[in-house]
Amino acid sequence: MAVKYLKKAEKTAATGEDDVRAIVADMLKDIEQGGEETCIEYTRKFDNWHGDIVVSQEDIDAAAAKVPEQLKKDIQFAYERVRDFAQAQLDSLSEFETELSPGLFAGQRLIPMQAAGCYVPGGRYSHIASAIMSVTTAKVAGVDHVIACSPPGREGGIHPAILYTLSLCGADTILNLGGVQGIAAMAFGQFTGHPADILVGPGNQFVAEAKRQLYGRVGIDMFAGPSEVMVIADANADPELVAVDLVGQAEHGPNTPAWLLTDSEELAEKVMKRLPELIADLPELNSKSAEAAWRDYGEVILVDTKEEAVKVSDEYASEHLEVHAEDLDWWLQNLRNYGSLFLGEETNVAFGDKTSGPNHILPTKGAAKYTGGLSAGKFIKVVTYQRSTKEASKDVAQVTARISRLEGMEAHAKTGDARLAKYFPDEQFNLQPE
């Protein structure tokens, strides 16, 4: 049996992108040319915020006093796991120097970026976990100045729990800014004097597009679109858990893809029956988002074999990939394209999104084919250096001169000629390509 769709999505992640691009381009141009005052005008317009942009220590202390003690303990629990995982990632990287030939040495250094901008969503939901994932990882990596921004509420600025979390995780400057204006301010160094070298963090389509348009001028964590999940489930999977996990992702927004990949039509039918019931039980806003997401972007894909499932999964390269199937080690060894992998029903995307440790800022829209998620390494430049003795430079200079002349780069060739003439004036060399 060929791959069969029991449910096919009506829309894709690219739906509606052209309008967003034009709006974002105009806003970025306005804010760069108009400076901080224009940025302030946009936040007054979109967030009705008329307070300070830079959050004071007094405001941070006041926010901390509003956060219940149990929530503080929960935030600390998640922070410690994210911090420890990021530290393990950092420890896995290494500097080195190697002798490529006698007297010719080359090495690698790991240099943290000077400034990072971390975007933390705060509109529909208060994304405490995103504050932990971005700021903590940047600080573990050794970034000198971490700027965080989050949309201000209409009355009290950034949500107290987010503000408390940003401070706990070590943000050096916190801005009452959201949307395109927040991204622009961090990239241009407005309100801080520290233009970001890299911009990271999830956000809506306008935030993602702003990061995309600024890429090259600054680094970004990845090209991102709406959050995604794929669940691979075999005939022995629990349809209730599969359905719950799909809905858990679909509530993120009306354009969130949720895909089920299975070899069991019976399981697929049970999941499809259960999904609308679970969606209907959600609070109204969540229910509307999940209903639209499942209607327009949800898919159910039927395959015959594990190998077919791997092929389809790798083509989708989903942001989150859950496996509810037997022989988890086989899936771990054979799946290649995903942002983060959740093996077995004992873990799921919600655990990874909030507390379990690995970063939840992950590639979407197929980007998992060429990149992983946010990590300590994303904030570190891997740079190289070389040094050489005079004797070791002899062979390198001759080969460089000959290859350069073959390529037609005479000035390049002369850099080798000059060193040979200086270091070995009494020797004759063949510096012409044959």
Side-chain angles (χ1 to χ4, degrees), residues 101 104 386 388-405 411-424 429-432:
S101 57
L104 175 60
Q386 52 191 273
S388 177
T389 64
K390 291 181 181 179
E391 188 62 33
S393 72
K394 182 189 296 187
D395 290 339
V396 174
Q398 292 178 76
V399 173
T400 297
R402 290 193 292 266
I403 289 177
S404 296
R405 288 195 168 94
H412 229 60
K414 288 184 181 298
T415 66
D417 298 351
R419 282 160 177 78
L420 291 169
K422 178 179 180 179
Y423 301 149
F424 310 99
F429 300 99
N430 176 17
L431 302 178
Q432 298 294 329

Side-chain angles (χ1 to χ4, degrees), residues 304-316:
D304 269 339
T305 66
K306 293 193 296 185
E307 290 75 16
E308 281 183 340
V310 167
K311 182 179 179 181
V312 173
S313 176
D314 283 348
E315 288 172 355
Y316 276 67

Side-chain angles (χ1 to χ4, degrees), residues 102-137:
L104 175 60
F105 298 88
Q108 171 175 291
R109 288 202 62 213
L110 307 176
I111 302 177
M113 297 178 189
Q114 291 177 287
C118 299
Y119 187 88
V120 180
R124 182 183 294 117
Y125 307 115
S126 299
H127 287 269
I128 296 169
S130 292
I132 299 172
M133 300 287 174
S134 57
V135 174
T136 303
T137 308

